[in-house]
Amino acid sequence: MAHDGPFATDMAPCRVAAVWQPIEKIDADDLSYEHFLEKYMRPGRPVVISNVGRQWAAMRQWTPAYFQQRFGSKPMPIAYDETLPFDEFIDRVIASSADAPGPYMHRSFLHEVLPEVLPDLIPQNPYAFPRRYASPLMPTRWQRPDGYLKLLVGGVGSKFPVMHYDGEAAHAAITEIYGDKEFIMYAPEDGPKLYPKPERPNQSSVDDPAMQDLVRFPLLAAAVQYRTVLKPGDMIFVPAGWWHAARALSVSISVCTNMLDGMHWNGLTADAYGTPDSHPDMKSRLKRSWMRGLGVLLDTLERLQVEKPGLAHKLVFPEWLAPMSAAVAPEPSRRQIHLRRPTD
Ligand SMILES: O=C(O)CCC(=O)C(=O)O
């Protein structure tokens, strides 16, 4: 019902379509890993890389029907507080619409709940490195050799629940396998204009960055929005600290993994053990010192991989060498992965 009086209490918010800029796109054939590091990862610049995962069986096989038929009523974690039988979840995904969006799966870590499909993602995405999570030298709470590899599935209008940036100063690589997904990003420096939640500063209070409520969130108008539509084979690189939000435009299936590198080591340390100002106590200081030393060691190991890949390969001590690139990383499904629950 429309209201035009000043005393209307259920007045619909006045939403404005956001102005946005496209995100750069490049074909995987034209982007070596070294160029990816140099042009995008190190400067913290987002990019969409097309034709990733061409050899994955997932690209040919993964459809809503595939999961429904193969996994039937297997319980799947959908959100923090929601688990659904896979077949029922897929029915709701198919029924989802812009007016009545269904659930969006974002808590299903593949090594934990669906290891059967891991062979469908071989060979590993070459851009989903470096992965310091793979080093057993990492504090155990972050040992996650797969980089938190997870499945993201939703139907029309469903979305990742909150615009956010990833914790632990991690980058993310999200690869679309089936369907189309709208992806919205903001640079870290625009964070204050995105109304971070006081209790979760990496989460925005903005409910819909595409159709903006500028009465409630006036600062949004001054933030620069970047946007793209991911299609099968498109991987979006989300640099550490970049805010992002995603919404399925059709039934959408994708996988997401996180990368951790040396450049953001201080960010991770501060995220975990505070700063000298926020946590001056001896225990926190000792933990920060340990992290500094570990950072230097991992830098050295990673340099070895880059400068002497042959030697690094010979030495392959994947047990404690954090993989710098897919070239020296064993396929995760062929080795034992010790998993930790993500902390956020
Ligand atoms: O649904 C998406 O594509 C976004 C996923 C994401 O941001 C996350 O898992 O942290």
Side-chain angles (χ1 to χ4, degrees), residues 104-106 150 152 159-160 162 164 166 172 174 181 183 230 244-247 254 256 258:
Y104 187 86
M105 178 189 286
H106 60 280
K150 69 179 167 185
L152 300 160
K159 57 183 186 179
F160 192 85
V162 66
H164 66 288
D166 288 356
I174 296 163
K181 178 156 66 176
F183 210 86
L230 299 178
H244 50 285
R247 187 170 57 102
S254 44
C256 170
N258 284 112

